[in-house]
Amino acid sequence: MEALYWGLLVFGVIYALVTLIFSDLLEHAFHFVVGDTHVQFLQPTVLVSGLTSIGAIGILLTRYSLLHTGFIVTIAVAGAILIAVLVYFLYIKPMENSENSIGYSIHELVGSIGDVSIAIPAQGYGEVLIKVGVSNTNQIAASFDGIAIAQDSRVVVIEVREHTVFVSILE
């Protein structure tokens, strides 16, 4: 039984090292084998951490306890499930929620506040500078109310049509 534990432990260590180098390839291979499952818990990192934990716990209990083999297997599996759950909730889930993107849709700008960088005539176009996330974007702008808006005025985006933001003076 100790050989099985060592095999699981060595497999987990090798998998961790290979994952550092070939993570995208392994992820695609895993999805090819398992398919697009809606069970978020079935991820390679979680499964391999559980298998590695079975090996590590099994080796430790076999060498340093007088427990019967059945108890050792039971404790190793229970410990592996606990560790896999902790890996999922303390590492995988927070990392999924921490993805940042600088991409945005122009339609998301409605309600945003910006500064006029090029004056907007009553019946024409100018430009506004709007902060989006951690960066700024310059957008073609027109007056929503049909009045001229001076440069450096503070404005709010009211509507987006035809790749143009329609703005009003922020009061």
Side-chain angles (χ1 to χ4, degrees), residues 32-101:
F32 178 75
V33 172
V34 174
D36 271 344
T37 178
H38 294 292
V39 181
Q40 292 291 322
F41 193 77
L42 292 177
Q43 295 190 8
T45 305
V46 175
L47 294 175
V48 172
S49 69
L51 291 175
T52 307
S53 300
I54 289 174
I57 294 168
I59 290 169
L60 290 173
L61 290 177
T62 300
R63 289 213 172 170
Y64 301 111
S65 75
L66 299 173
L67 295 175
H68 186 269
T69 304
F71 289 129
I72 292 174
V73 170
T74 304
I75 293 170
V77 169
I81 290 170
L82 176 66
I83 289 172
V85 168
L86 289 174
V87 165
Y88 180 73
F89 285 109
L90 297 177
Y91 178 71
I92 301 291
K93 199 69 170 158
M95 293 306 271
E96 285 176 352
N97 296 333
S98 70
E99 292 182 12
N100 288 331
S101 174

Side-chain angles (χ1 to χ4, degrees), residues 7-17 48 51-52:
L8 290 172
L9 182 63
V10 169
F11 169 74
V13 170
I14 290 172
Y15 181 85
L17 294 173
V48 172
L51 291 175
T52 307

Side-chain angles (χ1 to χ4, degrees), residues 145-163:
D145 302 318
I147 59 171
I149 302 174
Q151 184 175 351
D152 295 325
S153 296
R154 200 87 165 137
V155 293
V156 62
V157 178
I158 303 296
E159 183 180 15
V160 176
R161 289 188 306 225
E162 301 167 1
H163 304 291

